[in-house]
Amino acid sequence: MWIEQQQRNRNLLKWVSLAALLLAAAIWPWWVDDRFLLNVMINVLLYMVLGMGMHLIFGTAGLPFLGYAGFYGIGAYTAALLMTRGVSFWAALPASVAAVCLVALLFGAPILRLRGEYFMLGSLALGEIIHLTINNLDITGGPNGIVGIPKPRWFGGTLSQPADFYYLLLVVVLVSIALLTYLQKSTVGRSWLALREDELAAEAVGVPTYRRKLQLFVLGSAWAGVAGAFLAARMGIVTPGSFTLMNSVQMIGIIIVGGMGSLPGVVLGTVLMIGLPEFVRALADWRLVIFGVAIMAVLRFRPRGIWPTKPWIVPLPATIPGSERATDPAAVEGQGGVRTRGY
């Protein structure tokens, strides 16, 4: 009874904490009347969306994909090209997702055949190819990018205020968390957990590991398309400088610091990696040093991240049925056997 009561108390505390966080997020634009802080929060929410995709690719499938910023750029440029040609944001958004998923499927199929550092090199090459392509094509505007992207329209009005994008991105983050939580508890999601814990063991029990990796790779890339479309609509301009290798490293850092395979870790890691550095800009000369020392401290004292997911462990019985008689010396002697030393 005491254990059950403690479990109920922990669940109650968890739900109360979540409700408090949601309430604080909902009233943030009115509670903090600061345009700078609001823009910081919009950037944090945008990277949370990206973090959801990297959570699937890296946190779940264990693939350190260094080209994720390239997918982010494909989503942004697809939306920008369509919106500057008269297509509404709400039609450009699914088109961006479809374009990114198609590229992920075409290039992910061969890259996922690679292992270890070869996969990292292949993903790095893919990201750089995408970056160089959008930086040199006339249709993408070259180094100058695409400008004059119109703001989204909603029920006859224009979504031009920062608070509009804040609430839209907040809804996207909440829907993403709910969707990923549901998927992880499904049958397919349990095979994802098996893949994360031990790929060889998962393959031994019949999990199609390559198919699951490709599935996670394509599904995770969809969030890059969503984030890219929102970036283009919010900024009104997209340039190649927003989709570099450093952006991919930041997204991997979010997962490492927050916790591998943990959705709360994605939220916490994004706040620490993206939001916190904005408040130490006064220490611009030392910011990277402080940042590097902080990451090293996390890796040293919390190697699985600040908020890691619990290992997927199936509890075994204390004794194996029928083993008592086999290991009982009296039973062995009674059967005419010889005592042996157990290992």
Side-chain angles (χ1 to χ4, degrees):
M1 293 293 294
W2 181 81
I3 296 177
E4 294 178 357
Q5 182 63 36
Q6 292 297 315
Q7 183 63 37
R8 284 195 293 268
N9 291 339
R10 284 194 294 267
N11 290 335
L12 179 61
L13 178 62
K14 180 179 69 173
W15 287 110
V16 170
S17 301
L18 288 175
L21 287 174
L22 287 176
L23 180 61
I27 65 175
W28 178 272
W30 290 280
W31 181 35
V32 180
D33 189 16
D34 190 320
R35 193 178 183 90
F36 169 74
L37 292 179
L38 183 57
N39 285 323
V40 169
M41 285 302 300
I42 292 173
N43 198 36
V44 168
L45 289 174
L46 190 65
Y47 270 85
M48 279 185 192
V49 177
L50 291 168
M52 297 298 165
M54 187 58 79
H55 160 76
L56 290 174
I57 296 175
F58 182 41
T60 302
L63 301 171
F65 184 50
L66 294 175
Y68 198 70
F71 288 171
Y72 184 28
I74 291 174
Y77 273 91
T78 301
L81 288 170
L82 292 175
M83 293 175 68
T84 52
R85 286 162 173 75
V87 179
S88 70
F89 169 76
W90 308 107
L93 177 60
S96 298
V97 174
V100 175
C101 289
L102 179 60
V103 173
L105 181 62
L106 292 176
F107 290 93
I111 288 179
L112 290 177
R113 299 287 184 183
L114 305 174
R115 298 295 183 95
E117 60 272 16
Y118 297 104
F119 173 81
M120 295 182 66
L121 290 174
S123 65
L124 174 62
L126 176 60
E128 289 302 306
I129 288 171
I130 295 174
H131 181 263
L132 289 174
T133 300
I134 62 179
N135 195 39
N136 290 280
L137 288 179
D138 293 334
I139 192 173
T140 59
N144 297 322
I146 299 175
V147 299
I149 303 170
K151 297 296 182 182
R153 298 188 62 82
W154 178 261
F155 291 111
T158 303
L159 300 178
S160 57
Q161 298 301 317
D164 300 331
F165 288 97
Y166 173 83
Y167 283 116
L168 276 176
L169 286 171
L170 181 61
V171 170
V172 172
V173 169
L174 294 177
V175 171
S176 299
I177 293 174
L179 177 61
L180 291 178
T181 301
Y182 170 77
L183 288 175
Q184 288 177 347
K185 292 182 178 180
S186 65
T187 303
V188 175
R190 293 189 179 276
S191 67
W192 294 351
L193 292 175
L195 178 66
R196 183 188 68 206
E197 296 299 331
D198 193 322
E199 182 179 345
L200 291 177
E203 191 168 0
V205 297
V207 176
T209 55
Y210 174 76
R211 193 193 315 167
R212 288 290 179 262
K213 282 185 177 181
L214 184 59
Q215 184 183 64
L216 287 167
F217 191 74
V218 175
L219 184 60
S221 69
W223 270 268
V226 174
F230 272 98
L231 176 72
R234 174 178 172 252
M235 301 301 296
I237 178 175
V238 290
T239 59
S242 301
F243 317 107
T244 62
L245 174 62
M246 188 60 190
N247 297 104
S248 296
V249 173
Q250 279 183 312
M251 297 168 205
I252 290 179
I254 288 171
I255 305 301
I256 294 175
V257 172
M260 293 288 287
S262 170
L263 284 173
V266 173
V267 176
L268 181 60
T270 307
V271 172
L272 294 177
M273 292 284 293
I274 304 300
L276 190 59
E278 296 295 332
F279 297 96
V280 292
R281 284 188 175 274
L283 304 173
D285 295 336
W286 294 93
R287 186 172 63 163
L288 292 179
V289 175
I290 297 172
F291 194 57
V293 171
I295 292 180
M296 291 174 62
V298 170
L299 294 177
R300 172 62 180 84
F301 297 104
R302 300 284 293 182
R304 297 187 64 234
I306 297 177
W307 195 329
T309 185
K310 294 180 180 179
W312 192 39
I313 299 175
V314 179
L316 297 176
T319 58
I320 300 174
S323 62
E324 295 84 358
R325 190 179 66 175
T327 57
D328 185 7
V332 173
E333 288 181 348
Q335 297 172 2
V338 179
R339 290 190 185 183
T340 58
R341 193 176 176 184
Y343 291 93

